[in-house]
Amino acid sequence: MAKPVTLFICSACGAVHKKWSGRCDACGDWNTITEEAPLSAGPGKTALGAMKGKRIGLTDLRTEETPPPRRTSGMAELDRVLGGGLVPASATLVGGDPGIGKSTLLVAGRR
Ligand SMILES: [Zn+2]
């Protein structure tokens, strides 16, 4: 069995540290690092996966970045699913559960 891992997490910014410190290196706040209970890396459970994350509001995810340029694939339905078309110099993986319509989408869209 894997050795239990103790993590020290900053309550202000969510940064993870291997040891306790009075000051968070990531955000510079003092006295915000708290020790999390030791976690064992059992099956399907990792220290990082089980730890608490920093809560982020959906409004914080807004961005000023312009969306990437799109190039039409020639398949209207595929373009719609991709949000306007293919992004040049990128790879697109079409995935999903069996029977969800991956092949249908790509075959039916061909002209
Ligand atoms: Zn911090």
Side-chain angles (χ1 to χ4, degrees):
M1 189 169 179
K3 188 177 168 188
V5 177
T6 301
L7 296 174
F8 299 88
I9 299 175
C10 174
S11 60
C13 72
V16 179
H17 304 274
K18 290 180 180 170
K19 61 180 184 176
W20 188 87
S21 174
R23 183 173 181 262
C24 175
D25 295 334
C27 69
D29 277 6
W30 289 92
N31 258 348
T32 55
I33 296 175
T34 56
E35 180 179 350
E36 294 293 313
L39 301 170
S40 67
K45 191 176 181 183
T46 63
L48 287 176
M51 72 180 201
K52 292 182 199 167
K54 181 186 177 196
R55 188 172 294 196
I56 298 174
L58 290 177
T59 53
D60 296 341
L61 299 175
R62 257 186 264 154
T63 178
E64 299 298 319
E65 280 185 43
T66 57
R70 303 287 177 157
R71 180 176 293 170
T72 180
S73 66
M75 295 183 256
E77 283 301 305
L78 180 62
D79 288 347
R80 193 170 68 87
V81 168
L82 296 176
L86 298 164
V87 177
S90 72
T92 300
L93 174 66
V94 178
D97 290 334
I100 202 167
K102 300 178 294 292
S103 300
T104 304
L105 174 69
L106 296 172
V107 172
R110 295 185 75 190
R111 293 177 189 160

